[in-house]
Amino acid sequence: MQVQVIDHPLIQHKVTLMRKQETGSKDFRNLLEEITMLMGYEITRDLPLEDIDVETPVATMKGKQISGRKIGIVPVLRAGLGMVQGLLDLMPTAKVGHIGLYRDPKTLKPVEYYCKLPDVKNRDFIIVDPMLATGGSASAAISLLKEKGIHHIKLMCLVAAPQGVKKVNTDHPDVKIYVAALDDTLNEHGYIVPGLGDAGDRIFGTK
Ligand code: PRP
Ligand code: URA
């Protein structure tokens, strides 16, 4: 399995709080945003830098600034919305696209209902979705981006099941996956075990 588990102690602590069934929507959303920002620090580690001339109040120097390709953040609706602000806080000039997919509760297959992306030229994309369960939704989201000519894609999730990682690895071996936690398995309804339940419902207070 090709997956990077970002298991900084702060992240592990916050994921545990999110898993607790008594954690309400407000805390759940805040924790998700905080974790996304902490994970964002790690997944942007390979951003290229260039030298620039800087005049400090004291002297001139060569400083560093991020160079190269622009960034696009693509949440998978709905639950991916909870991971946008944490990344935008780190990269305020990033553009945000949206992919609407829901998982049919009977077949567990993803159904597409929306796609709106920023200018794809010279841009790297980060797909965000808290849950990587069967992997059907993430794989479909990646395929959609590839159909639009996008080939620099990272996938960032909060909790993954091994089955989901395997599916994305198989369908899209070029896409690097980052997660905060890799759980045991899926139950008969396709929910991650132990997981944290339905992420969209917990973010938005629906049932
Ligand atoms: C959840 C989750 C992922 C998908 C994961 O969304 O946010 O998109 O399920 O499952 P998979 O890996 O088996 O495809 P859901 O379909 O519940 O929609 P929602 O975000 O609108 O609640
Ligand atoms: N979608 C969720 O929100 N949670 C799961 O455990 C699986 C899919």
Side-chain angles (χ1 to χ4, degrees):
M1 269 198 297
Q2 294 299 318
V3 59
Q4 183 173 337
V5 182
I6 305 176
D7 55 359
H8 187 285
L10 283 171
I11 294 178
Q12 291 192 56
H13 179 86
K14 289 173 192 290
V15 171
T16 301
L17 293 175
M18 291 185 74
R19 289 185 193 275
K20 292 184 178 180
Q21 59 180 349
E22 66 268 26
T23 299
S25 289
K26 179 173 178 288
D27 289 339
F28 192 91
R29 278 195 302 271
N30 290 343
L31 287 160
L32 182 57
E33 188 177 325
E34 289 166 11
I35 293 169
T36 305
M37 198 194 263
L38 292 166
M39 292 179 75
Y41 179 80
E42 193 55 42
I43 75 163
T44 52
R45 188 173 281 285
D46 60 353
L47 288 180
L49 292 169
E50 63 187 4
D51 288 337
I52 56 160
D53 295 322
V54 179
E55 280 192 34
T56 80
V58 179
T60 57
M61 64 167 291
K62 288 270 182 229
K64 301 279 184 198
Q65 72 177 14
I66 289 169
S67 69
R69 298 164 64 81
K70 297 169 281 185
I71 301 286
I73 303 165
V74 181
V76 178
L77 304 179
R78 289 175 300 166
L81 290 173
M83 298 177 75
V84 173
Q85 194 55 49
L87 287 184
L88 276 179
D89 287 345
L90 293 178
M91 300 175 284
T93 59
K95 297 274 192 279
V96 181
H98 295 86
I99 292 179
L101 288 174
Y102 71 87
R103 198 172 70 152
D104 183 288
K106 284 208 181 74
T107 63
L108 299 184
K109 297 276 177 259
V111 182
E112 182 194 333
Y113 61 89
Y114 188 75
C115 181
K116 179 90 181 172
L117 300 173
D119 177 17
V120 305
K121 228 176 96 203
N122 196 29
R123 194 180 295 280
D124 291 350
F125 281 80
I126 306 170
I127 297 177
V128 292
D129 190 334
M131 309 309 279
L132 180 61
T134 65
S137 303
S139 182
I142 295 165
S143 296
L144 240 157
L145 292 195
K146 287 184 173 174
E147 280 162 23
K148 311 271 179 197
I150 298 164
H151 293 285
H152 293 90
I153 304 169
K154 291 176 180 172
L155 173 66
M156 180 178 173
C157 303
L158 185 73
V159 181
Q163 293 91 328
V165 173
K166 205 165 156 201
K167 172 145 182 78
V168 174
N169 282 170
T170 305
D171 294 355
H172 304 287
D174 53 308
V175 173
K176 195 149 183 217
I177 307 173
Y178 300 84
V179 302
L182 184 59
D183 277 10
D184 299 339
T185 190
L186 298 174
N187 69 13
E188 65 276 23
H189 305 293
Y191 276 83
I192 299 174
V193 181
L196 45 72
D198 188 305
D201 283 346
R202 294 196 65 184
I203 291 169
F204 296 109
T206 49
K207 208 51 216 97

